[in-house]
Amino acid sequence: MANCNTLFLSFNKSIRLDDDRRINLREKRDNLRKRIKGGFGEVRKLHTVNEELEFQSQGSYVMDTIINPANPEDEYDIDDGVYFFGQRSREHRGETKNYHDFIIASIKSGIGQNEIEEIKEKDTCVRVRYRGKKNDFNYHVDLPIYYATDMYHPDLAHKKKSWLLSNPVDFILWFERIIDSGFEAKYLVERSRYEQEYQRWLDDRRKKDHQLRRIVRYLKAWGDHLKGEMPPGVVMTILAGSDSNYVANERDDISLLETLKNIRQWLRNNQFTCPRPTIPVGEDLFADYPQSRIDYFRDRLDAFISSGEQALENPNQKDACKKWQKHLGDRFPCFMAKDEIEGAKTYVAPAYIKSDNSRSA
């Protein structure tokens, strides 16, 4: 049986956001915050907006599950929540679209970041797209917009569904509790008071690089390779983390395969829905998918599992690597794989015991 763990760890290094790019993205995010803050001063005068603006990082950037795009022409995607902090009830805030418009106007009025290529309004956020300069990368910042009378219970400004209770920090907390990383919501919600604790947590998180973070990156890289109809990163994160789908193992190849098999059974038990684990709890993230997209993902999942089983049963590492590379793309480092039969070496790999991972509904 071929052991491809070292190949997976090398693959992880190539897809994980390195420190230089992380710093670069943070600087660009902070520059956009300054631009919005500056432009918001003019917006307040024109529209009598009394609320103060706050910002809060969220999503894969905080959880360190963000990956490098496979194609240099593709974009990095980071989420940065914009919060109108005030005391108005939902009935007295006005239309959610107004708050989208306030942020768009603030960006246009602010100074800096002339490389903005497009500002696009979506139902759940305002997207700001950038075209990278020479030797730089393309990226976009999604700005979900919230109104908060209490920063622990903000309302999302959804263009079509009005105000929706939605706290992205709860999703981070859900994920980090699975890992038992020590994250606490107050690190972000009360950032000014807990800056040192948050920084220590960040440093510790980056050093440890928990296996579940790697599994989520592999799933995202799978989706990035296939593109098109594959689910987004938030779905991949939920699939990996829900109901003990994640299976820890000293080897990433075994962990990934067993996790994929649990995901398939979990989806079958849930009639191929993907219920959100945090507010709005139970929302099906597959609800708007046409059946053809559901069928495509089901087929790709079956094929990935089948290839993974073949890889673990194959005694030749190079042959096994090609099975993984088929689904993870050319970045998966088969050039490192050894073209030899593992049983012919003195090294004995840990036994892989096949499991159907069947669980009752």
Side-chain angles (χ1 to χ4, degrees):
M1 178 191 70
N3 184 338
C4 291
N5 185 57
T6 56
L7 304 180
F8 269 94
L9 294 178
S10 178
F11 180 56
N12 177 62
K13 289 181 180 179
S14 70
I15 63 175
R16 186 185 184 188
L17 195 68
D18 62 32
D19 288 342
D20 288 342
R21 285 177 175 164
R22 181 177 298 279
I23 291 170
N24 199 342
L25 276 176
R26 185 170 65 242
E27 289 176 348
K28 293 176 183 298
R29 179 206 66 189
D30 291 346
N31 287 338
L32 180 58
R33 288 180 176 184
K34 291 177 183 178
R35 177 168 179 154
I36 293 172
K37 278 273 195 180
F40 187 59
E42 297 300 317
V43 170
R44 296 181 70 164
K45 296 175 185 177
L46 294 173
H47 300 281
T48 319
V49 181
N50 298 320
E51 284 76 8
E52 297 293 332
L53 281 189
E54 301 286 346
F55 297 89
Q56 193 171 92
S57 294
Q58 58 189 59
S60 60
Y61 181 84
V62 176
M63 296 186 293
D64 194 21
T65 57
I66 187 173
I67 65 169
N68 297 313
N71 189 327
E73 293 300 313
D74 290 343
E75 299 176 350
Y76 287 88
D77 172 11
I78 58 175
D79 301 313
D80 198 27
V82 185
Y83 292 70
F84 286 82
F85 194 72
Q87 297 302 317
R88 300 191 201 196
S89 65
R90 289 181 175 179
E91 293 75 18
H92 294 91
R93 294 174 195 167
E95 298 292 327
T96 52
K97 187 180 186 315
N98 294 338
Y99 292 81
H100 285 227
D101 292 341
F102 293 156
I103 295 305
I104 291 172
S106 298
I107 296 170
K108 292 180 177 179
S109 299
I111 299 174
Q113 289 194 317
N114 294 325
E115 68 271 24
I116 289 177
E117 186 171 88
E118 179 187 34
I119 301 173
K120 183 178 181 179
E121 186 177 14
K122 301 171 71 69
D123 287 341
T124 58
C125 68
V126 170
R127 174 169 292 178
V128 183
R129 294 186 66 248
Y130 294 84
R131 176 63 61 182
K133 298 177 182 179
K134 186 176 181 181
N135 299 324
D136 203 350
F137 49 79
N138 305 322
Y139 68 102
H140 66 257
V141 181
D142 281 340
L143 301 167
I145 298 162
Y146 302 87
Y147 194 102
T149 57
D150 173 359
M151 287 295 283
Y152 281 93
H153 304 92
D155 287 335
L156 175 68
H158 193 293
K159 273 182 61 180
K160 293 180 179 177
K161 299 179 182 179
S162 192
W163 297 104
L164 302 174
L165 184 62
S166 176
N167 188 356
V169 176
D170 282 347
F171 187 78
I172 299 171
L173 186 61
W174 167 79
F175 183 78
E176 297 299 333
R177 280 176 174 168
I178 297 170
I179 295 175
D180 194 22
S181 71
F183 174 81
E184 296 186 47
K186 64 185 181 182
Y187 292 166
L188 291 178
V189 179
E190 303 175 63
R191 179 75 176 272
S192 60
R193 293 179 57 191
Y194 295 97
E195 178 66 32
Q196 292 184 348
E197 291 89 340
Y198 180 53
Q199 190 58 52
R200 281 197 296 269
W201 176 79
L202 284 177
D203 292 342
D204 190 52
R205 181 205 67 188
R206 289 170 187 155
K207 290 174 184 176
K208 289 184 177 179
D209 193 27
H210 193 281
Q211 188 178 53
L212 179 55
R213 299 192 202 278
R214 300 198 298 273
I215 295 300
V216 171
R217 292 188 203 114
Y218 301 150
L219 294 178
K220 288 185 174 184
W222 172 43
D224 192 33
H225 171 59
L226 295 178
K227 301 186 183 299
E229 299 300 302
M230 291 294 283
V234 64
V235 170
M236 296 299 193
T237 306
I238 292 171
L239 293 179
S242 290
D243 293 343
S244 301
N245 286 344
Y246 160 63
V247 178
N249 192 281
E250 63 182 23
R251 287 172 45 180
D252 280 10
D253 52 353
I254 293 178
S255 174
L256 176 60
L257 177 59
E258 293 302 308
T259 299
L260 285 169
K261 292 164 79 172
N262 279 349
I263 287 171
R264 179 169 64 182
Q265 188 60 49
W266 183 79
L267 287 169
R268 289 171 176 171
N269 292 345
N270 285 285
Q271 289 76 51
F272 234 86
T273 61
C274 183
R276 187 188 292 273
T278 56
I279 295 174
V281 175
E283 176 192 22
D284 179 17
L285 299 186
F286 287 160
D288 295 332
Y289 284 26
Q291 188 60 43
S292 60
R293 188 174 182 184
I294 294 290
D295 292 341
Y296 175 80
F297 180 51
R298 180 190 290 113
D299 291 345
R300 293 304 90 211
L301 179 58
D302 286 342
F304 199 3
I305 291 171
S306 178
S307 292
E309 290 175 333
Q310 293 169 22
L312 290 186
E313 292 168 359
N314 196 314
N316 184 290
Q317 190 186 59
K318 198 167 192 68
D319 291 341
C321 184
K322 291 175 183 177
K323 298 294 184 181
W324 293 116
Q325 190 182 61
K326 176 181 177 181
H327 301 274
L328 295 171
D330 292 339
R331 289 188 292 180
F332 197 77
C334 285
F335 68 91
M336 294 174 54
K338 297 178 180 179
D339 189 10
E340 58 189 23
I341 302 299
E342 188 134 337
K345 299 182 295 180
T346 56
Y347 171 78
V348 178
Y352 168 61
I353 301 175
K354 292 182 68 175
S355 168
D356 61 10
N357 287 287
S358 58
R359 293 184 288 182
S360 58

